[in-house]
Amino acid sequence: MKVIEPVRELVHGEEHKTSRKVVFMAYCKECRFFFPIPQDADDYEPGKGDCVREEQDDKGKYWLAKPVMGEQDAGKCGFFIKRIGG
Ligand code: SF4
């Protein structure tokens, strides 16, 4: 989804709308770590998925998984990486 926000700048001490900035909103369903839950699964809900990320500590690699909704705002998530190819 694309949101267009006005950009405000100070000109001679006064605030003016001078241009527009295009801000792209991201959703969990666009993230490479989002995996939709299959329709035949017990916890299936439309739009629901699992966020599955690989982590590593001194003992080795492991996976973190948590349920997320595809329409969840990913803008505040520091792990978001855009999925390549849709
Ligand atoms: S919670 Fe973060 S890492 Fe997980 S699917 Fe959403 S944006 Fe991606």
Side-chain angles (χ1 to χ4, degrees):
M1 181 180 177
K2 201 164 63 171
V3 177
I4 299 174
E5 294 180 348
V7 174
R8 299 180 188 281
E9 293 178 358
L10 287 177
V11 179
H12 302 300
E14 293 182 26
E15 189 177 82
H16 291 270
K17 275 196 254 181
T18 55
S19 61
R20 291 185 185 273
K21 174 175 79 172
V22 177
V23 177
F24 289 95
M25 288 185 67
Y27 297 102
C28 282
K29 66 183 178 184
E30 301 169 283
C31 177
R32 70 182 292 185
F33 302 118
F34 179 82
F35 297 90
I37 294 176
Q39 286 191 1
D40 60 348
D42 292 341
D43 58 343
Y44 171 78
E45 281 179 44
K48 188 178 179 184
D50 286 320
C51 167
V52 183
R53 293 187 303 103
E54 186 181 85
E55 290 281 324
Q56 185 164 12
D57 63 13
D58 297 343
K59 295 179 182 173
K61 292 181 180 178
Y62 58 96
W63 296 91
L64 288 178
K66 65 177 181 179
V68 292
M69 296 306 291
E71 295 294 328
Q72 186 172 305
D73 181 8
K76 292 178 183 150
C77 177
F79 299 107
F80 175 81
I81 296 176
K82 177 94 173 143
R83 177 182 298 165
I84 296 171

